[in-house]
Amino acid sequence: MSGILNAQNLEWRERAREVAEKVVRPLAAKYDRAQEYPWEIKEAIAKAGLMGAWIPKEYGGAGGGVLDLCICVEELSRACGGVGVLYAVNALGTFPVLVGGTEEQKHRWLTPIAKGEKLISFGLSEKYAGSDAASLHATAVKEGDSYVLNGEKKWNTNGGAADIYTIFAVTDPNSKSRRISAIMVEKGTPGFRIGKVEDKMGIRCVPVVEIHFDDCRVPAKNILGETPGVGFKHAMMTLDKARPGVAAQAVGLAQGALEYAMVYAGHREQFGAPISSFQMIQGMLADMATRVEAARNLVYVAAMAVDSGAPNVSKLSAMCKLFATDTAMEVTTNAVQIFGGYGYMNDYPIEKYMRDAKITQIYEGTNQVQRMVVARSLVKESLSLKHLLGYIPKEVQRGVNDPETLARKAAQQPDTVGAE
Ligand code: CAA
């Protein structure tokens, strides 16, 4: 599907596809088994200039947008879902800087990422603050011209490999709306420690770790925007920009699994014919391809909306994450089904797609949270649609809301005028 993509988007697709086919696909199984960060793949991604795709030119990037980012993530994920997120998570870490950083902070933190010299990670979640992100506990206390961090972070994708960490911590425990701030922390700062390294079902080439802060002192100028208290808002704005990236990872995984299933079905013979000649398999493939195409279009439209600064991107961003990741789970599961018993074996490439797909329904907000974001937005929109009530018949029931009953109820109401 390239009808809505422009020449720049297509160029990113070609570049990312080349890295995916030449470097990522041949190494995907190796790093999945080893559960090791694939530095050689990261180098190839950086060499192809993909690291700065979404970063503005003035900060050393290529000046593309979220759509270009999504296209790159999709192509990398088509070959390996782990590599897709290994790349995309750098965008997640930089978005708070783009959303809320000062000019000086943008130059300082974005340029080394754009050039592929450094990696970045995003630290919002904690053991007891997942979907309810605002309930996080880690603290950052101002002492002179420093902030002193204490506490723990959970689910840090890229943790350990990354040089820079965008950390969300409580700076004002007494405030309801200005409790949290985003602070940039560099690996190696005394008091910063990588803890448990998770052993995962999928996306095994990218590390997911716990981070511990024990009196970790960072310069006060590392607080984003140099203004405390706006961290939660910036985290939410970041997720609005980043969720299409997870959705693109899901589209890539679904497309990659579909392609393997198509090829396998064309070659696997049973009952004297390729299984792709059987209508049940054809129906599965047709449904899989249709869903992938629908998901891709929704991702591109959401990414374009983010890039154009359209209002209410939260809804579209959540919708594309929700739809694309549910699609990825369904399509990768059906791809395993088409491979039959072989699909379940880990010397075949297909079961990895299913394992990699599962996390996309969970991270950067579970799909239950995405439904909540969409539903909240619908409730707000419904307020501007009140004129439609005029077209919906209102039922009248005697004893409940007929004119006499309403008049009687009104007469029985206590006089509240002046009650306060
Ligand atoms: N943009 C700007 N501001 C926003 C916003 C948005 N999209 N969403 C909320 N806000 C603001 C609200 O306006 C409100 O501001 P005021 O206090 O000034 O009124 C404030 O933020 C609080 O908003 P809510 O009351 O809506 O917040 P909530 O506590 O009910 O939470 C939520 C809403 C949608 C559930 C949110 O907590 C959420 O998205 N949770 C999921 C967290 C998540 O996605 N975590 C992912 C971690 S990253 C990860 O997974 C990385 C990885 O491994 C790759």
Side-chain angles (χ1 to χ4, degrees):
M1 208 242 19
S2 56
I4 62 172
L5 301 184
N6 65 26
Q8 175 185 305
N9 306 144
L10 292 174
E11 200 191 313
W12 282 113
R13 188 164 78 178
E14 279 318 301
R15 264 206 245 182
R17 188 169 288 181
E18 195 176 338
V19 179
E21 291 304 335
K22 286 194 177 149
V23 186
V24 180
R25 196 185 293 279
L27 292 170
K30 172 184 155 184
Y31 284 103
D32 177 57
R33 280 192 201 110
Q35 196 163 208
E36 269 173 20
Y37 190 91
W39 288 102
E40 57 188 312
I41 293 179
K42 182 256 152 186
E43 287 311 320
I45 289 173
K47 204 168 153 209
L50 305 189
M51 287 302 291
W54 68 92
I55 295 178
K57 286 189 175 147
E58 57 268 41
Y59 312 120
V66 170
L67 178 58
D68 295 316
L69 166 74
C70 287
I71 289 166
C72 294
V73 174
E74 181 186 332
E75 289 303 324
L76 296 173
S77 304
R78 195 167 147 208
C80 173
V83 170
V85 65
L86 165 156
Y87 169 70
V89 82
N90 290 285
L92 177 66
T94 57
F95 284 149
V97 185
L98 279 164
V99 162
T102 62
E103 272 306 299
E104 193 269 331
Q105 289 172 331
K106 287 179 185 169
H107 282 284
R108 176 163 178 213
W109 303 109
L110 300 178
T111 307
I113 310 293
K115 291 189 184 313
E117 294 162 1
K118 288 188 176 175
L119 300 173
I120 188 163
S121 174
F122 178 86
L124 177 67
S125 304
E126 297 179 1
K127 285 176 187 162
Y128 294 99
S131 293
D132 185 6
S135 69
L136 63 87
H137 289 85
T139 56
V141 177
K142 183 109 192 276
E143 281 184 16
D145 51 10
S146 303
Y147 274 94
V148 180
L149 277 94
N150 277 291
E152 294 176 21
K153 288 285 153 188
K154 187 85 178 164
W155 316 129
N156 278 91
T157 308
N158 231 13
D163 310 274
I164 306 167
Y165 295 77
T166 308
I167 299 297
F168 293 83
V170 177
T171 43
D172 186 352
N174 299 318
S175 171
K176 255 194 163 171
S177 59
R178 297 179 64 87
R179 202 174 150 260
I180 294 166
S181 304
I183 300 176
M184 307 306 290
V185 184
E186 288 180 87
K187 184 161 77 175
T189 307
F192 170 98
R193 180 170 59 84
I194 300 292
K196 182 182 177 201
V197 179
E198 305 291 347
D199 184 5
K200 306 179 297 303
M201 171 197 277
I203 60 159
R204 286 168 58 84
C205 69
V206 60
V208 173
V209 306
E210 289 177 5
I211 297 178
H212 298 261
F213 298 102
D214 302 300
D215 289 331
C216 176
R217 188 175 287 272
V218 298
K221 67 177 168 46
N222 285 17
I223 199 155
L224 279 186
E226 295 189 8
T227 318
V230 283
F232 188 71
K233 209 162 257 212
H234 289 166
M236 293 298 108
M237 290 163 79
T238 289
L239 290 166
D240 286 346
K241 284 166 92 73
R243 283 173 179 156
V246 177
Q249 182 198 4
V251 170
L253 278 163
Q255 179 69 35
L258 170 66
E259 288 167 357
Y260 271 123
M262 283 156 51
V263 170
Y264 185 79
H267 283 76
R268 169 74 175 167
E269 293 196 3
Q270 288 293 282
F271 307 105
I275 61 170
S276 62
S277 65
F278 305 144
Q279 282 189 346
M280 272 197 242
I281 299 290
Q282 289 175 354
M284 283 174 83
L285 289 170
D287 284 347
M288 287 155 75
T290 305
R291 288 203 56 143
V292 176
E293 201 57 49
R296 179 178 289 118
N297 276 278
L298 190 52
V299 174
Y300 289 178
V301 165
M304 282 174 182
V306 173
D307 285 337
S308 68
N312 199 13
V313 287
S314 305
K315 182 177 82 170
L316 259 183
S317 180
M319 278 177 163
C320 79
K321 199 272 188 188
L322 167 64
F323 186 75
T325 63
D326 281 355
T327 295
M329 204 58 238
E330 188 183 314
V331 169
T332 56
T333 305
N334 284 340
V336 170
Q337 189 71 19
I338 287 174
F339 271 73
Y342 294 109
Y344 199 68
M345 302 301 143
N346 65 17
D347 52 347
Y348 276 67
I350 202 67
E351 55 86 40
K352 175 177 180 298
Y353 281 82
M354 189 173 145
R355 286 189 284 110
D356 286 350
K358 184 60 209 171
I359 190 63
T360 65
Q361 294 180 302
I362 299 171
Y363 61 21
E364 289 194 33
T366 62
N367 282 3
Q368 285 70 26
V369 162
Q370 310 308 323
R371 287 182 173 90
M372 195 165 112
V373 171
V374 174
R376 281 183 181 182
S377 176
L378 295 179
V379 169
K380 268 193 211 148
E381 277 171 42
S382 72
L383 300 177
S384 65
L385 295 170
K386 280 193 174 152
H387 64 285
L388 296 180
L389 280 174
Y391 297 90
I392 302 174
K394 186 165 165 75
E395 300 297 332
V396 175
Q397 183 174 333
R398 193 152 51 84
V400 177
N401 60 352
D402 62 295
E404 280 162 38
T405 306
L406 290 179
R408 198 176 59 248
K409 281 182 183 168
Q412 285 167 356
Q413 287 281 324
D415 185 3
T416 51
V417 179
E420 288 180 26

